[in-house]
């Protein structure tokens, strides 16, 4: 539901094609420019399933897997291996279904590990700790630190320290609380494909900071399209804040993805 608030299956498929046709070759060219001895490059991907629930393995998830697999089969040599970590017990059944959508040659490159420990041991065998992020047993920056380094900066040049991410399922009203330190500011955006929309209000204790920003998707009820709306820019800490979403129609449940970039 969260992904659908941001993009569509069609756009995800376009991204898969772009990544293989343009981004991957460009990345390889940059590496070869730095080291002319490089002749071949393949990826080792990590899928960490920690926290995965059965409800997340829906038909929509399978549609994404099918789309990605249809593109991947055209670039069989770009993948060296795919390591799946923290696979819950129920994933074994789902994996038998998913394998049916994937080219057998690609399936042979995928390893499923039910524990993080065994998966990380395998990663060290394939890659080596000098090339792994610290949160996966290596010596490099953690994945969150890399994301921060590559991410947005505010007008003062400060980088993102952390993110606030919440998928809000709104039938009539939904709330999300967050806290900022004295040196932090936050920019809040909401993404949705809801055609009816919701109004967002932000309060700091009893003080209203943002009042009634309407957030709706594009398109129509029959053909909803996702859209993002900035509901707040540069809210300053310190303090405890409450984001409240009030549905405009109250018919059914609509999903809104709240993303806050916290700068420091």
């Amino acid at each position: 539901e969260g992904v659908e608030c941001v993009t569509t299956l069609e756009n995800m498929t376009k991204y898969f094609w772009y990544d293989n046709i343009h981004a991957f070759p460009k990345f390889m060219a940059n590496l070869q420019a730095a080291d002319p001895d490089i002749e071949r490059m393949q990826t080792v991907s990590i899928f960490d399933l920690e926290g995965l629930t059965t409800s997340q393995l829906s038909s929509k998830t399978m549609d994404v897997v099918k789309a990605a697999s249809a593109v991947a089969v055209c670039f069989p040599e770009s993948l060296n291996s795919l390591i799946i970590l923290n696979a819950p017990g129920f994933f074994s059944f789902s994996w038998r279904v998913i394998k049916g959508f994937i080219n057998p040659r690609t399936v042979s490159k995928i390893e499923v590990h039910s524990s993080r420990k065994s998966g990380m041991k395998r990663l060290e065998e394939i890659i080596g700790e000098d090339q792994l992020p610290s949160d996966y047993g290596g010596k490099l920056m953690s994945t969150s630190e890399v994301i921060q380094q590559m991410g947005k900066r505010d007008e003062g040049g400060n980088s993102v320290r952390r993110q606030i991410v919440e998928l809000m399922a709104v039938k009539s009203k939904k709330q999300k609380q967050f806290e900022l330190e004295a040196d932090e500011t936050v920019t809040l955006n909401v993404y949705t494909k809801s055609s009816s929309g919701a109004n967002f209000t932000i309060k700091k204790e009893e003080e209203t900071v943002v009042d009634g920003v309407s957030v709706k998707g594009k398109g129509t009820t029959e053909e909803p399209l996702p859209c993002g709306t900035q509901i707040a820019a540069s809210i300053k800490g310190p303090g405890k804040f409450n984001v409240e979403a009030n549905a405009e129609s109250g018919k059914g449940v609509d999903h809104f993805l709240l993303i806050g970039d916290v700068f420091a």
Side-chain angles (χ1 to χ4, degrees):
E1 299 291 351
V3 173
E4 285 195 315
C5 289
V6 178
T7 189
T8 63
L9 179 61
E10 180 183 1
N11 284 337
M12 279 190 279
T13 304
K14 289 179 180 178
Y15 170 77
F16 296 147
W17 281 110
Y18 172 85
D19 192 47
N20 283 279
I21 295 175
H22 300 289
F24 190 80
K26 183 178 180 180
F27 182 62
M28 185 172 181
N30 290 336
L31 289 178
Q32 287 177 318
D35 185 355
D37 291 333
I38 294 177
E39 297 181 355
R40 183 179 182 182
M41 186 177 76
Q42 292 181 308
T43 61
V44 176
S45 299
I46 303 171
F47 282 9
D48 193 339
L49 302 186
E50 185 175 7
L52 182 72
T53 64
T54 54
S55 62
Q56 292 170 322
L57 290 173
S58 63
S59 60
K60 295 176 183 178
T61 304
M62 297 304 178
D63 288 340
V64 175
V65 172
K66 291 177 185 177
S69 301
V71 176
V73 73
C74 299
F75 305 90
E77 296 306 318
S78 62
L79 179 68
N80 177 279
S81 56
L82 168 59
I83 307 299
I84 299 177
L85 303 179
N86 298 314
F90 65 81
F91 184 73
S92 59
F93 172 77
S94 302
W95 177 235
R96 288 197 293 271
V97 177
I98 292 171
K99 283 196 295 186
F101 303 136
I102 305 175
N103 181 276
R105 187 173 181 181
T106 302
V107 171
S108 67
K109 300 179 181 182
I110 301 175
E111 300 178 22
V112 180
H113 296 266
S114 59
S115 75
R116 186 182 186 88
K117 184 177 180 180
S118 65
M120 288 172 62
K121 182 179 179 180
R122 179 60 175 146
L123 284 172
E124 290 177 7
E125 294 172 355
I126 299 173
I127 304 175
E129 62 178 10
D130 61 324
Q131 294 295 315
L132 277 171
S134 60
D135 45 338
Y136 288 98
K139 296 181 178 180
L140 299 180
M141 290 188 295
S142 68
T143 50
S144 60
E145 289 173 327
V146 172
I147 291 171
Q148 290 172 14
Q149 188 181 72
M150 297 174 63
K152 305 173 186 175
R153 294 185 179 272
D154 63 12
E155 294 179 355
N158 298 309
S159 60
V160 175
R161 172 183 284 180
R162 57 188 174 91
Q163 282 192 315
I164 299 164
V165 180
E166 181 76 9
L167 180 60
M168 306 176 74
V170 182
K171 184 174 183 180
S172 58
K173 182 170 68 175
K174 193 77 173 183
Q175 296 182 345
K176 164 66 179 176
Q177 290 78 38
F178 67 90
E179 190 170 350
L180 295 177
E181 301 294 336
D183 63 337
E184 293 181 330
T185 62
V186 65
T187 297
L188 291 165
N189 292 275
V190 178
Y191 301 85
T192 187
K193 67 172 185 177
S194 168
S195 57
S196 55
N199 286 309
F200 282 77
T201 299
I202 304 174
K203 289 186 177 182
K204 180 182 179 181
E205 298 177 353
E206 297 302 319
E207 176 190 358
T208 299
V209 180
V210 174
D211 189 16
V213 177
S214 178
V215 177
K216 293 183 179 181
K218 298 186 292 185
T220 63
T221 304
E222 292 75 22
E223 294 185 16
L225 294 173
C227 183
T229 302
Q230 186 178 92
I231 62 170
S234 300
I235 294 178
K236 296 181 179 180
K240 296 181 180 179
F241 299 83
N242 183 70
V243 180
E244 182 174 290
N246 289 279
E248 293 190 17
S249 71
K251 297 179 180 179
V253 176
D254 284 326
H255 291 87
F256 299 81
L257 182 63
L258 173 70
I259 297 182
D261 292 318
V262 180
F263 299 92

